[in-house]
Amino acid sequence: MSKLSSILKSDAVLPSSKEVVLNLLCTSNYIAEKYAVFFKQFEITGPQYNVLRILRGQKGNPANLSTIQERMVHKNSNAGRLIDKLLLKDLVERNTCKENRRKIEILITQKGLDLLSSIDPELDELESENLKGFTKEEMTTLSELLEKLRE
Amino acid sequence: MSKLSSILKSDAVLPSSKEVVLNLLCTSNYIAEKYAVFFKQFEITGPQYNVLRILRGQKGNPANLSTIQERMVHKNSNAGRLIDKLLLKDLVERNTCKENRRKIEILITQKGLDLLSSIDPELDELESENLKGFTKEEMTTLSELLEKLRE
DNA sequence: GAACAACATTTGTTGGTACAAATGTAATGC
DNA sequence: GCATTACATTTGTACCAACAAATGTTGTTC
């Protein structure tokens, strides 16, 4: 059972608005934890994967810090320190930009690309597993309602 | 605009399953951030509020750490250190249990209760504001779909 | 060209999450 | 009663989030 009441061990009757928010937070935690466990096998974290994905999307062009920050799921994370961690694992390369020495150029390394290649098929599997009980319509409805909540 | 593409600055077409997950994470961040800003006025954080709520729900009976942990939205948070923070603000009281000295008894203070009283009406307002565009049916549907995702 | 503002990143600090290990206490079996 | 086990909390470490301040660089204005 994964009802709110059993997660929070409380039988209190809540207004629908609180129930929605608590469901949102609990489900988000649940999914985030699944991802964390998944990424751990690759000795990486979710935010670090996010950075690598963005860098791969650059298709060879270097990205600077602010661009990465903008595109991350967590806008307020400190991309600089995430890059530090990725550097230690040789998954990215960092150079100061010659034309504008305020900027730094960040590139994904071949090792980084290889790691992503090994992660992606398994991640796809995890994702379809997560949503295996859902019809296409339910997924669309859920996405729309979540989007509406951000308005 | 709060569409995923504008949040993540990417026009990539994603499979529905990835889209749902990203929408979930983005919406959860969005809401969590709103709450963080809200609680900040009261010099408290979301998890700390969560602990205070649980303690108030005890209606005068002390709670021990493991009980609090169990009932929290974030199960893996370190309730012990949250209690430390609350102690510094005199919002809770901590005593070692006389019958079983392994346990500690945690109680919310009058100051803590007063703080909750001042927070609650404003929080209710924030919550109904968050969901003001939703019909009752939409809220139910959203809660159900979120719950289904945890199965 | 010196002062100033704008930009890009780095650093520092506080708070929380996640997990493992250590500590102290109580109950159980022999 | 002593060792073992289970229980409840504390402590330690690594990582991320949130935010403010500092640093270094470039562009602009007078």
Side-chain angles (χ1 to χ4, degrees):
Chain A
M1 267 282 275
S2 58
K3 288 214 178 294
L4 263 189
S5 55
S6 72
I7 293 178
L8 306 179
K9 322 275 184 231
S10 159
D11 294 326
V13 177
L14 300 169
S16 305
S17 54
K18 274 192 201 296
E19 198 173 324
V20 168
V21 170
L22 288 173
N23 262 314
L24 175 66
L25 297 178
C26 285
T27 303
S28 166
N29 292 339
Y30 173 83
I31 294 291
E33 195 176 333
K34 265 195 170 179
Y35 275 67
V37 170
F38 171 79
F39 285 126
K40 201 162 191 180
Q41 337 167 232
F42 301 98
E43 290 179 316
I44 207 179
T45 64
Q48 287 171 18
Y49 173 78
N50 195 189
V51 171
L52 290 178
R53 279 281 302 231
I54 291 165
L55 290 174
R56 181 174 62 179
Q58 291 291 103
K59 299 190 192 306
N61 299 316
N64 51 36
L65 254 189
S66 49
T67 305
I68 295 172
Q69 199 99 281
E70 263 183 354
R71 299 188 183 181
M72 288 191 68
V73 176
H74 292 78
K75 302 302 180 200
N76 297 324
S77 66
N78 200 327
R81 287 192 264 237
L82 288 173
I83 301 288
D84 290 343
K85 300 284 165 58
L86 293 171
L87 266 174
L88 291 175
K89 299 177 218 170
D90 290 320
L91 298 173
V92 302
E93 209 173 292
R94 172 168 58 184
N95 305 302
T96 53
C97 179
K98 281 159 194 157
E99 298 85 53
N100 186 341
R101 286 169 51 206
R102 285 174 298 187
K103 293 191 182 181
I104 60 171
E105 291 181 337
I106 301 150
L107 278 165
I108 187 167
T109 61
Q110 187 58 46
K111 192 176 169 194
L113 288 170
D114 292 346
L115 179 62
L116 285 185
S117 299
S118 68
I119 289 177
D120 285 342
E122 295 194 44
L123 184 58
D124 290 346
E125 207 173 312
L126 173 68
E127 259 147 7
S128 52
E129 172 72 17
N130 280 338
L131 285 149
K132 70 171 187 300
F134 281 68
T135 65
K136 189 96 179 166
E137 287 71 35
E138 284 175 325
M139 290 196 242
T140 307
T141 304
L142 181 49
S143 277
E144 282 170 358
L145 289 172
L146 287 169
E147 211 165 88
K148 185 170 182 176
L149 199 43
R150 292 197 302 266
E151 274 171 7
Chain B
M1 266 281 278
S2 58
K3 290 217 177 293
L4 262 189
S5 54
S6 72
I7 293 179
L8 306 180
K9 319 280 183 227
S10 159
D11 293 327
V13 177
L14 300 169
S16 306
S17 54
K18 275 194 201 294
E19 199 174 324
V20 169
V21 170
L22 288 174
N23 262 313
L24 174 66
L25 297 179
C26 285
T27 304
S28 165
N29 291 341
Y30 173 84
I31 294 290
E33 196 176 332
K34 265 195 170 179
Y35 275 67
V37 170
F38 171 79
F39 285 126
K40 199 160 192 180
Q41 338 166 229
F42 301 99
E43 291 179 315
I44 208 180
T45 64
Q48 287 171 20
Y49 173 77
N50 196 187
V51 171
L52 290 179
R53 279 282 302 230
I54 291 165
L55 290 174
R56 182 175 60 180
Q58 292 291 104
K59 298 188 191 307
N61 299 316
N64 51 36
L65 254 189
S66 49
T67 305
I68 295 173
Q69 198 99 281
E70 262 182 353
R71 299 188 183 181
M72 287 191 68
V73 176
H74 293 79
K75 301 301 179 203
N76 296 323
S77 65
N78 201 325
R81 287 192 264 238
L82 288 174
I83 301 287
D84 290 342
K85 302 281 168 63
L86 293 171
L87 265 175
L88 290 176
K89 299 178 221 172
D90 291 319
L91 298 173
V92 302
E93 208 175 293
R94 171 169 59 184
N95 305 302
T96 54
C97 180
K98 281 158 194 158
E99 299 85 54
N100 186 341
R101 285 171 51 206
R102 286 175 297 186
K103 294 191 182 182
I104 61 171
E105 292 180 336
I106 300 149
L107 278 165
I108 186 166
T109 62
Q110 188 58 47
K111 192 177 169 192
L113 288 169
D114 292 344
L115 179 62
L116 286 185
S117 300
S118 68
I119 290 177
D120 284 342
E122 295 195 43
L123 185 57
D124 290 347
E125 207 173 312
L126 174 67
E127 259 146 6
S128 52
E129 172 72 15
N130 281 338
L131 285 149
K132 70 172 186 299
F134 282 68
T135 64
K136 191 95 180 170
E137 287 72 35
E138 284 175 325
M139 290 196 243
T140 308
T141 304
L142 182 48
S143 276
E144 282 171 359
L145 288 172
L146 287 169
E147 211 165 87
K148 185 169 181 176
L149 200 41
R150 292 198 302 265
E151 274 170 9

